Amino acid sequence: MLAFIVRRLVVSAGVLLAGTFLAYCLVALSGDPLARLRQDNTPGVEDRIAEMTDRLNLDTPVPLRYLQWLGSASKCLVPFAAECDLGQSVRGQDVTFLLGNAVSSTLQLITVATFTAMIVGVIVGIVTALRQYSRLDYATTLASFFFVSLPLFWFAVLLKQYVAIDLNDWLADPTVSLPAAAIVGVISGLIWASAIGGDRRRVWISFGIAFAATAGALLILSASGWFASPGLGPVVVTVVGGAAALGLTALLAGFRYRHVLYAALATAAVGAILNLALDQVLSDPSYLTLIGLLLLAVAIAGGVGYALGGLQRKQAIQTSIGVAVIMSVTIFIDRMLSAWGNYFDAVDGRVVATFGSRTPNYDGGTWGNLLDTATHLLLPTIALILVSVATYSRYTRASMLEVMNQDYVRTARSKGLTERTVIVRHAFRNGLIPITTLMAFDVAGLMGGAVITETVFAWQGMGFMFVTALRDVDPNPAMAFFLVTGLAAVVFNMLADIAYAYLDPRIRLS
Amino acid sequence: MTTPTPDDPFRDPRSMGAAGSDPLDVPAAAPTEEIGPDERAHLGHLGLSRVGAEELLRVEDLHVDFPTDDGVVRAVRGVSYSLNAGEVLGIVGESGSGKSVSSMAVLGLLPKSARIRGSIRFRGDDVLGMSQPAQRSLRGRRIAMIFQDPMTAMNPVHTIGDQLAEAVLSHELMPRRKAMARAEEALALVGIPQPKTRLRSYPHEFSGGMRQRAMIAMAIINSPDVIIADEPTTALDVTVQAQILEKLIEVKDAVGAAIVLITHDLGVVAGMAHRVLVMYAGRAVEIGETDEVFYNARMPYTAGLLGSIPSLEAQDASRLRPIKGAPPSLINLPTGCPFSPRCPLATDICREQEPALLPTDSMGHVAACHHWDELAGVDDPTAFFRSESEASR
Amino acid sequence: MITPGDPAAPAADAQGMTVVARTQAQLVRRRFFRHRAAMISLVVFALLLILSFSATGIGPIPGWWKHDYTTVGSVVEGGSPTLSVVPTFLGGDGMHLGDHPFGQDNKGIDYFALTMRGTQVSIMIAFIVGALGTLLGVLIGAAAGFFRGWTETILMRFTDIIIVMPLLAIVSVLANRVGNAGPFWLAVVIALFTWTGLARIVRGEFLSLREKEFIEAARAVGTPAWRIIRKHILPNTIGVIVVSATLSIAGAVLLETALSFLGFGVKPPDTSLGRLISDYQSAFASRPWLFFWPGLFIVLIALTVNFIGDGLRDAFDPRQNKVRS
Ligand SMILES: Nc1ncnc2c1ncn2[C@@H]1O[C@H](COP(=O)(O)OP(=O)(O)OP(=O)(O)O)[C@@H](O)[C@H]1O
Ligand code: SF4
Ligand SMILES: [Mg+2]
């Protein structure tokens, strides 16, 4: 395994070097940074030209310039090196400085987008594969064709112009009317009924329950003024924990033997108690504390699963950890929403942001700032992930359908395994393998997408920096963009390769 | 093509000893006496084991249709048979005759699109009418299946041990450790060396023969009553085939199971099966004691199949005598006997009426042919095909 | 023992069904025509092509539409669209085009003419990209897959290098420079970076076909390489190539419009659908139609071409008619 990783590293480094060289030449070719100055006739322009030529190294031939750039850029690899130098912009700023903020905000965007797209896409893909030729399947197929045919920039502008404004207007006086609740209820009913399937009676029952639950919840929430000051509270957290325990047990272990269920429920109970007990700690924790708490939750869940799992220890541990993660996320959202009132006032009610990555001069503590980031992430992420969700779901669907037809799935059934085990352990586990390859490609695609999304939403990330640099004929920041995206692509490719090797034992040996 | 050797019962049914002198007189539905150990010797070196009196599996008038874009594929059209404890039933027939589909229907493994009619009873219980969980508890526990291609029939991402233990754990709650121990035993039983370390191997680390052994181990791990083996050796090397079959018979006796053996290889059936069922175009066209069917075929198709095996006795015509033509489309079946376009004995009635499966001149031997008595009148039924093809040369 | 390799039964197919013999092309055509979404898309796309090319004309040939996409005029009724599709008996204005069905821009240019011109340019670029990118992809993939050895190593590493760079960004760099040279050169630049996916696929197909017996037989009798490729391998990869070419056209439309939106693609005085959206983005609040028409046409083109590609894929995919045995 180690040799495999090392070999991949060497190849990747080579590809990255060649890629940056190609990009460097292209960027150098793309325009003359001095063009504007040359047309200038003001006195002293000669000096400025000379100064810029010197600063950007313009009198060195391109290949040599690349080597010099590479030489100083490679110092960035040394950890904590102060010398990290990616050149200067035409305006004389250090590119490393410009890059600092840009990288982190783009990474935020890309990470959130990747995870959301993957989770949503894979779930949709599995459900549509299992319900092949159902209405849900046709509807999602149609939707995904539509998504991949939608110009991202156009959609982003639409989001910005309509969704943001309308949503903010609605949030000023958030009530759900009866017809609106009914319509949403029907949609939810259709989706659930189609996803659950079964005979006609079951379809109607699922539709009825989903319709009543959705529409009812909307109306109750609206009447109680929840949308004006949203929050979950300990009760909802507990209910979500219990539901997660039941759902994950059904998915991963089934109810035939009770050990797993008990472990999962116990984990949910511990989570609910800890949520109350740690109220003080959770009111304004540092980011490090948050990560620590998540790890603690996972550790406790593992322990509970181990202790209560009995003969199904492995599944019990998996299920408990799943419950713990879901509960942690719920508590996270709960706490973030607690900052709602404060934040609402701070932004004059325009909660859904369309400009930049954070509200200038706003400091609402840990939760307030997180909420601020979340509201800024909302629209760019939606715009960015449409294509990815469509791709993941199509790919997963095709992969699952292919796998479900394999002989070994038939073998698994012939052993008398439950349909759940056949799908989770045999089909999904194999269907996952090609998806890892897609992940690597998709991240590169998202980077490209970020260029557009960041431009539309004025998100101060690398894409924005890149477009600005290209317009200003500013080679070094543009190069920094290629360096970072190239690195990211290479890293994700490697992660995908490793995931592939981990998932597919046939690869491990070679 | 391997040249058959005189002492190789796999290859040539006629090379066997004094078969026929003491036919196992077990009519389709009524089991009678068992064979004594002294009689086993003449049944070939694999030996046939005892047939119990208890009827395990009874399939009656099974139909399977697949609706497709081009029309309804009528893959199985009324197959009936029964299987007693300890018995080996061979199912033979050309590719596409419905062998796999009819046996997969027994395990409920057909795709959802399949439309199944008829009745399948296991120990008297109606399998098709059972609830899903009840059907599942039969699968792998009471009725196990071995598939044709060991290369693709095992999940490449789980270890052999996991895949074997899973078969145990899905029917019985026990510590994994114990299930693994059972897996180890099963591997040892099918003759895999160092079973303990092999538990941790992945399928791709096994050779084809070893994988098929592991498949057999997986099938017997719960000591099932019935094993359905769907062409268990077709994908294997000729040299390995014999070993695997031998192993299959050996473990069958060890766990006391009955076997439905699906195969293309008539030699295998001759050496191993108590009874044979011949399928053609989705129907059973001849059922009977192995020796009865092989020496006194009462259906021209069976005779044609036998004629296409290289024979030692007929040294003069050592060429293969295959049946000419192709099986009919299962979507638009012609009226009359489905074999009539290829049958040397076909007459007008054959083209008009599909023959029913009726008793012939010997006990428990049924055939679906209007002219079975013509076959009874000649010494070597395969000669019909020989003279035909010889004449055309 | 019985049927496999049985010389007397050559008409039996693997499933044991006798199938009316159809040529590959007939099968593909039949399956494609059965794909409803693809057929509808084909018709819509053809109409779109005819409409856009005939309305404003091509090159020196004038179109039938009364307005020109460059002529500045007086802005009528704030430039709002005169198109009406709601018949009078439904309480609408009746079905008529009016003088400026898509409205006018702030300089009074007829927006229908502009949109048609933009559609034309975007489609032309997409087709050139599709053709050129496919050619490059096939050549490079075929060379790598057929010759193996160092040719393959170099070509595939080169492919990797291009793949690690975000497509939109790397194309922007060059497009920014050549945009002034006209849409054709823009298309060439896009094609230079969009062949990689197809090259990989074609190489894969070649690698697997190389090992096939009929190819080995051809090699054994000394058939020259180009002849083997042309006679034996290309016909077997044609499905993949056609599908990929179609889908790359849809991709190219989106890529070109995105580039033009960012300001790195088609430059004035010429226009494209992306350029139109970018130009009138700021007028959005007051005159949303300037934004909607070009967007609608991009979606229409991309969607129909994607569906056609999907239909072709289903038609070519041999797994379609495979039944388990
Ligand atoms: N899922 C399916 N959909 C449509 N037709 C099917 C399906 N499965 C099997 N068939 C058809 O049913 C017929 C019988 O198939 P079956 O697999 O039982 O043949 P077989 O006797 O086992 O042949 P072989 O010796 O090749 O395994 C074939 O014509 C096959 O094409
Ligand atoms: S019924 Fe007629 S056609 Fe059919 S097998 Fe008998 S003789 Fe031949
Ligand atoms: Mg079969």
Side-chain angles (χ1 to χ4, degrees):
Chain A
M1 194 67 173
L2 195 69
F4 170 78
I5 294 177
V6 169
R7 205 173 50 222
R8 276 302 277 123
L9 262 176
V10 173
V11 173
S12 307
V15 167
L16 187 61
L17 272 186
T20 49
F21 178 66
L22 186 65
Y24 201 90
C25 297
L26 292 179
V27 168
L29 261 173
S30 75
D32 177 13
L34 300 174
R36 208 166 305 155
L37 285 179
R38 290 217 172 94
Q39 282 161 11
D40 206 337
N41 290 324
T42 45
V45 77
E46 306 286 295
D47 292 348
R48 283 167 56 203
I49 288 180
E51 187 265 341
M52 194 182 302
T53 309
D54 184 46
R55 183 149 45 83
L56 299 182
N57 228 345
L58 291 179
D59 44 7
T60 326
V62 175
L64 210 60
R65 206 191 310 158
Y66 169 72
L67 286 181
Q68 286 171 358
W69 174 85
L70 188 68
S72 47
S74 60
K75 289 187 195 128
C76 297
L77 289 175
V78 186
F80 309 112
E83 301 175 75
C84 181
D85 181 10
L86 292 173
Q88 293 192 327
S89 72
V90 279
R91 292 199 184 77
Q93 292 157 302
D94 270 329
V95 171
T96 32
F97 169 77
L98 289 177
L99 201 60
N101 290 325
V103 168
S104 71
S105 48
T106 297
L107 277 187
Q108 250 174 24
L109 189 63
I110 300 275
T111 315
V112 172
T114 306
F115 278 102
T116 325
M118 206 147 65
I119 292 170
V120 175
V122 168
I123 290 176
V124 171
I126 292 176
V127 172
T128 48
L130 297 180
R131 297 274 168 269
Q132 195 189 7
Y133 303 137
S134 68
R135 273 192 204 117
L136 183 74
D137 186 25
Y138 285 121
T140 45
T141 302
L142 210 66
S144 53
F145 267 96
F146 187 66
F147 288 167
V148 293
S149 308
L150 207 58
L152 174 56
F153 55 96
W154 191 65
F155 182 67
V157 175
L158 279 186
L159 276 182
K160 191 167 134 174
Q161 296 290 344
Y162 287 104
V163 177
I165 291 173
D166 288 354
L167 209 56
N168 279 329
D169 286 348
W170 180 74
L171 281 172
D173 177 24
T175 50
V176 181
S177 68
L178 201 62
I183 291 171
V184 178
V186 168
I187 294 172
S188 147
L190 287 178
I191 292 176
W192 281 106
S194 197
I196 290 171
D199 55 19
R200 183 162 303 181
R201 204 174 130 244
R202 208 166 122 182
V203 165
W204 277 109
I205 293 175
S206 339
F207 177 85
I209 293 176
F211 171 81
T214 312
L218 281 177
L219 290 175
I220 292 170
L221 289 177
S222 167
S224 62
W226 186 84
F227 291 109
S229 61
L232 301 177
V235 179
V236 176
V237 170
T238 312
V239 171
V240 169
L246 290 175
L248 284 181
T249 308
L251 201 66
L252 297 176
F255 295 110
R256 196 141 62 109
Y257 312 111
R258 291 299 160 90
H259 292 100
V260 178
L261 181 64
Y262 295 154
L265 286 175
T267 309
V270 173
I273 294 166
L274 280 182
N275 181 30
L276 295 176
L278 293 176
D279 194 37
Q280 278 299 310
V281 185
L282 281 170
S283 65
D284 193 19
S286 70
Y287 293 129
L288 221 58
T289 316
L290 280 178
I291 294 172
L293 285 174
L294 179 65
L295 293 180
L296 181 71
V298 169
I300 292 176
V304 171
Y306 186 87
L308 300 181
L311 291 177
Q312 292 188 299
R313 190 164 277 160
K314 201 169 140 199
Q315 280 148 309
I317 293 176
Q318 286 171 352
T319 313
S320 304
I321 291 182
V323 171
V325 170
I326 291 179
M327 277 196 93
S328 305
V329 172
T330 316
I331 295 173
F332 183 88
I333 294 174
D334 176 41
R335 294 289 160 162
M336 208 159 72
L337 288 179
S338 68
W340 183 272
N342 183 333
Y343 182 69
F344 194 85
D345 297 337
V347 294
D348 287 331
R350 311 312 288 174
V351 174
V352 181
T354 57
F355 194 89
S357 47
R358 46 197 292 267
T359 309
N361 308 323
Y362 172 76
D363 185 12
T366 304
W367 297 116
N369 291 344
L370 280 170
L371 183 63
D372 186 43
T373 309
T375 58
H376 280 85
L377 272 172
L378 184 66
L379 294 186
T381 309
I382 292 178
L384 195 52
I385 66 172
L386 273 195
V387 177
S388 303
V389 168
T391 326
Y392 275 114
S393 71
R394 298 302 296 163
Y395 211 77
T396 309
R397 177 179 178 276
S399 170
M400 283 298 281
L401 285 178
E402 169 112 31
V403 168
M404 296 290 282
N405 267 327
Q406 296 292 315
D407 284 358
Y408 53 76
V409 170
R410 193 178 55 186
T411 310
R413 289 217 175 90
S414 81
K415 285 192 274 191
L417 302 184
T418 57
E419 197 58 20
R420 191 202 73 242
T421 319
V422 171
I423 290 168
V424 175
R425 195 160 349 143
H426 291 271
F428 179 57
R429 180 66 170 63
N430 281 281
L432 210 58
I433 295 173
I435 296 172
T436 56
T437 333
L438 178 65
M439 192 178 83
F441 275 97
D442 190 61
V443 168
L446 283 175
M447 294 278 187
V451 172
I452 293 173
T453 338
E454 290 182 1
T455 310
V456 173
F457 291 102
W459 183 274
Q460 310 284 331
M462 287 189 315
F464 190 74
M465 185 187 83
F466 172 75
V467 172
T468 320
L470 217 53
R471 287 191 182 137
D472 296 350
V473 197
D474 192 352
N476 283 331
M479 237 359 259
F481 173 83
F482 282 115
L483 185 66
V484 174
T485 52
L487 262 177
V490 163
V491 167
F492 270 92
N493 253 307
M494 268 193 37
L495 287 181
D497 273 359
I498 293 170
Y500 202 114
Y502 171 76
L503 288 175
D504 191 344
R506 285 164 297 187
I507 303 295
R508 277 178 220 168
L509 293 176
S510 58
Chain B
M1 194 50 57
T2 52
T3 23
T5 45
D7 56 356
D8 184 0
F10 283 93
R11 294 287 141 213
D12 188 357
R14 269 153 295 213
S15 71
M16 288 195 318
S21 58
D22 180 22
L24 301 170
D25 201 3
V26 189
T32 50
E33 80 239 47
E34 300 174 358
I35 26 166
D38 48 327
E39 278 137 330
R40 292 174 93 175
H42 71 253
L43 287 168
H45 71 251
L46 279 182
L48 291 180
S49 46
R50 291 149 181 272
V51 176
E54 189 193 2
E55 181 182 283
L56 289 179
L57 189 64
R58 169 172 277 274
V59 173
E60 264 170 18
D61 201 25
L62 179 70
H63 289 258
V64 181
D65 293 346
F66 293 103
T68 65
D69 279 353
D70 300 313
V72 176
V73 177
R74 302 183 59 202
V76 177
R77 309 180 295 128
V79 166
S80 308
Y81 62 85
S82 70
L83 184 73
N84 283 5
E87 191 183 10
V88 177
L89 172 70
I91 300 187
V92 295
E94 265 167 313
S95 191
S97 52
K99 306 182 296 289
S100 301
V101 170
S102 57
S103 51
M104 271 187 314
V106 173
L107 268 98
L109 292 180
L110 290 175
K112 279 193 209 109
S113 65
R115 290 200 301 243
I116 308 169
R117 278 173 295 132
S119 109
I120 298 170
R121 289 182 181 277
F122 179 78
R123 291 185 187 277
D125 299 330
D126 181 15
V127 176
L128 293 176
M130 273 181 193
S131 69
Q132 279 296 322
Q135 249 191 41
R136 208 178 52 233
S137 65
L138 280 187
R139 248 180 257 154
R141 172 80 191 78
R142 299 273 169 215
I143 310 176
M145 189 142 183
I146 300 170
F147 294 99
Q148 172 176 351
D149 191 353
M151 297 297 166
T152 56
M154 287 210 155
N155 194 327
V157 304
H158 296 300
T159 60
I160 300 279
D162 278 340
Q163 298 190 51
L164 285 166
E166 189 180 57
V168 180
L169 290 172
S170 69
H171 296 285
E172 231 175 304
L173 185 62
M174 60 165 76
R176 247 181 73 83
R177 206 167 9 85
K178 266 193 173 162
M180 278 297 191
R182 282 265 290 273
E184 189 187 331
E185 273 170 42
L187 284 185
L189 193 60
V190 295
I192 288 184
Q194 297 170 302
K196 196 168 190 81
T197 47
R198 284 315 200 160
L199 284 176
R200 282 194 300 276
S201 307
Y202 287 93
H204 71 271
E205 294 164 308
F206 274 26
S207 69
M210 290 236 286
R211 266 190 248 188
Q212 198 58 304
R213 280 168 198 260
M215 277 297 293
I216 295 175
M218 193 141 79
I220 56 148
I221 197 163
N222 287 320
S223 308
D225 300 329
V226 176
I227 300 173
I228 299 178
D230 190 352
E231 306 188 27
T233 56
T234 311
L236 300 175
D237 231 278
V238 188
T239 47
V240 187
Q241 288 186 356
Q243 296 169 16
I244 294 289
L245 287 169
E246 214 163 327
K247 211 60 193 184
L248 186 59
I249 292 300
E250 193 184 313
V251 299
K252 152 199 180 306
D253 289 340
V255 301
I259 293 190
V260 176
L261 180 68
I262 300 171
T263 179
H264 276 145
D265 193 333
L266 294 181
V268 168
V269 172
M272 288 175 61
H274 297 107
R275 285 190 302 133
V276 193
L277 185 157
V278 182
M279 282 192 76
Y280 187 76
R283 298 199 73 171
V285 291
E286 183 157 11
I287 310 177
E289 298 305 329
T290 308
D291 296 343
E292 261 298 312
V293 172
F294 275 42
Y295 288 94
N296 305 314
R298 292 293 174 260
M299 155 81 194
Y301 174 64
T302 315
L305 283 184
L306 292 166
S308 63
I309 327 179
S311 144
L312 278 179
E313 279 167 25
Q315 289 289 354
D316 49 318
S318 53
R319 265 171 292 196
L320 284 186
R321 286 154 294 166
I323 310 172
K324 297 213 292 180
S329 154
L330 295 178
I331 294 176
N332 298 309
L333 274 166
T335 50
C337 175
F339 190 55
S340 56
R342 306 164 74 187
C343 181
L345 297 181
T347 58
D348 285 347
I349 185 171
C350 302
R351 284 179 276 272
E352 282 151 23
Q353 263 179 42
E354 182 155 12
L357 199 59
L358 295 172
T360 59
D361 49 349
S362 62
M363 259 278 266
H365 184 172
V366 290
C369 177
H370 293 302
H371 302 305
W372 65 266
D373 41 351
E374 282 187 38
L375 291 177
V378 295
D379 278 348
D380 178 10
T382 67
F384 285 108
F385 287 87
R386 177 171 39 187
S387 49
E388 260 257 318
S389 42
E390 231 84 315
S392 66
R393 286 220 170 90
Chain C
M1 215 52 198
I2 308 155
T3 26
D6 183 343
D13 82 332
Q15 264 73 48
M17 289 192 265
T18 24
V19 176
V20 188
R22 288 197 190 84
T23 65
Q24 170 73 7
Q26 277 172 322
L27 274 174
V28 168
R29 215 172 305 138
R30 197 173 71 135
R31 281 196 294 256
F32 181 71
F33 286 136
R34 268 196 201 167
H35 197 287
R36 206 174 324 147
M39 287 315 292
I40 297 173
S41 297
L42 198 62
V43 172
V44 172
F45 186 69
L47 289 178
L48 209 69
L49 265 185
I50 296 171
L51 182 70
S52 65
F53 279 89
S54 67
T56 51
I58 320 161
I61 312 163
W64 49 262
W65 185 240
K66 52 194 163 191
H67 299 290
D68 197 292
Y69 68 94
T70 46
T71 316
V72 179
S74 57
V75 180
V76 187
E77 281 184 50
S80 57
T82 56
L83 176 70
S84 164
V85 287
V86 188
T88 28
F89 58 84
L90 287 177
D93 287 343
M95 303 216 286
H96 57 78
L97 284 177
D99 202 34
H100 299 288
F102 287 11
Q104 287 170 292
D105 79 349
N106 49 350
K107 283 177 284 182
I109 301 179
D110 179 63
Y111 208 57
F112 177 73
L114 263 178
T115 310
M116 288 304 108
R117 174 62 188 172
T119 308
Q120 247 186 46
V121 172
S122 291
I123 288 181
M124 277 191 308
I125 292 178
F127 270 95
I128 297 172
V129 172
L132 219 59
T134 305
L135 188 71
L136 277 173
V138 171
L139 285 181
I140 291 173
F146 195 81
F147 296 112
R148 313 289 309 269
W150 56 266
T151 321
E152 184 187 19
T153 313
I154 291 179
L155 289 176
M156 285 301 114
R157 284 288 163 264
F158 186 58
T159 314
D160 288 347
I161 290 165
I162 292 189
I163 285 178
V164 296
M165 293 186 285
L167 181 62
L168 180 68
I170 195 74
V171 174
S172 302
V173 172
L174 272 192
N176 194 24
R177 182 75 185 243
V178 302
N180 295 319
F184 176 75
W185 291 105
L186 181 66
V188 172
V189 163
I190 297 177
L192 280 181
F193 293 94
T194 48
W195 50 266
T196 47
L198 182 59
R200 282 189 164 185
I201 298 173
V202 169
R203 167 178 165 267
E205 293 279 316
F206 265 59
L207 285 186
S208 64
L209 281 171
R210 251 182 84 99
E211 312 300 325
K212 293 267 157 63
E213 280 158 26
F214 66 100
I215 306 270
E216 284 188 353
R219 289 157 72 88
V221 296
T223 318
W226 62 269
R227 207 183 143 77
I228 295 181
I229 293 181
R230 206 168 52 91
K231 281 267 177 223
H232 298 286
I233 303 190
L234 277 186
N236 279 294
T237 43
I238 195 77
V240 181
I241 296 172
V242 168
V243 170
S244 164
T246 315
L247 295 179
S248 83
I249 291 177
V253 168
L254 294 176
L255 185 58
E256 179 274 320
T257 49
L259 280 176
S260 303
F261 173 78
L262 290 175
F264 303 138
V266 175
K267 299 271 161 78
D270 221 323
T271 195
S272 85
L273 292 175
R275 176 100 222 154
L276 286 176
I277 293 177
S278 161
D279 284 351
Y280 299 111
Q281 202 189 161
S282 48
F284 190 92
S286 53
R287 282 183 245 167
W289 58 88
L290 296 181
F291 181 80
F292 276 110
W293 290 118
L296 185 75
F297 276 82
I298 299 176
V299 175
L300 263 184
I301 299 172
L303 196 61
T304 50
V305 176
N306 269 329
F307 271 126
I308 294 170
D310 190 55
L312 287 172
R313 177 168 31 213
D314 283 357
F316 277 111
D317 193 345
R319 265 175 298 187
Q320 277 286 303
N321 58 354
K322 187 170 107 179
V323 274
R324 277 197 327 179
S325 62

